[in-house]
């Protein structure tokens, strides 16, 4: 397997949604617009400050893969269709094997 560096412009974007239905809806919007090649889902429990008190909730975490040139479009689309008042949108460049990089960048 050939490994690469950050030069291929792949980003991971992490966000959460309140439930599977909302997470799937967001993912489908991104996929149908061909802004991303794939997304994975994970059930998580979050603890956070909101409205002056500590809260906790079960959420669905989306781990979204995209090429660098689509990063702003993906983040903007997440902001537009997110159900939260203040959505979590965390992104960072990643390294990946050459074949995966080529696949992500083909979108």
């Amino acid at each position: 397997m050939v490994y690469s560096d950050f030069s291929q412009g792949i980003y991971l974007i992490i966000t959460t949604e309140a439930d599977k239905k909302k997470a799937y809806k967001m993912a489908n919007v991104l996929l149908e617009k061909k802004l991303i090649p794939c997304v994975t889902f994970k059930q998580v429990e979050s603890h956070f400050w909101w409205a002056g008190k500590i809260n906790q909730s079960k959420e669905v975490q989306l781990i979204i893969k995209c090429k660098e040139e689509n990063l702003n479009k993906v983040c903007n689309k997440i902001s537009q269709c997110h159900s939260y008042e203040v959505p979590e949108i965390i992104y960072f460049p990643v390294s990946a094997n050459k074949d995966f990089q080529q696949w992500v960048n083909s979108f």
Side-chain angles (χ1 to χ4, degrees):
M1 181 176 284
V2 177
Y3 293 93
S4 190
D5 56 22
F6 290 114
S7 65
Q8 294 301 314
I10 295 176
Y11 278 76
L12 284 185
I13 303 167
I14 298 174
T15 191
T16 53
E17 261 294 4
D19 56 46
K20 281 185 181 181
K21 184 177 179 180
K22 291 175 182 171
Y24 290 177
K25 182 178 178 181
M26 179 187 302
N28 284 333
V29 167
L30 297 170
L31 288 164
E32 288 171 1
K33 293 190 174 295
K34 294 193 175 185
L35 293 174
I36 63 168
C38 67
V39 57
T40 54
F41 304 93
K42 186 176 177 181
Q43 190 72 40
V44 297
E45 183 175 326
S46 297
H47 296 237
F48 53 93
W49 277 97
W50 188 254
K53 64 180 184 172
I54 296 175
N55 293 270
Q56 61 185 17
S57 67
K58 293 192 185 300
E59 298 177 300
V60 176
Q61 183 179 67
L62 293 84
I63 303 171
I64 302 163
K65 294 83 172 179
C66 81
K67 60 184 175 182
E68 184 174 16
E69 70 185 63
N70 285 350
L71 180 62
N72 285 331
K73 291 177 188 175
V74 173
C75 290
N76 287 333
K77 186 54 72 178
I78 291 169
S79 292
Q80 290 170 2
C81 65
H82 210 289
S83 67
Y84 291 170
E85 183 179 336
V86 181
E88 168 192 33
I89 304 173
I90 298 171
Y91 58 89
F92 47 93
V94 296
S95 297
N97 62 308
K98 185 178 177 181
D99 292 339
F100 187 77
Q101 286 180 356
Q102 289 173 342
W103 179 71
V104 169
N105 282 306
S106 71
F107 282 81

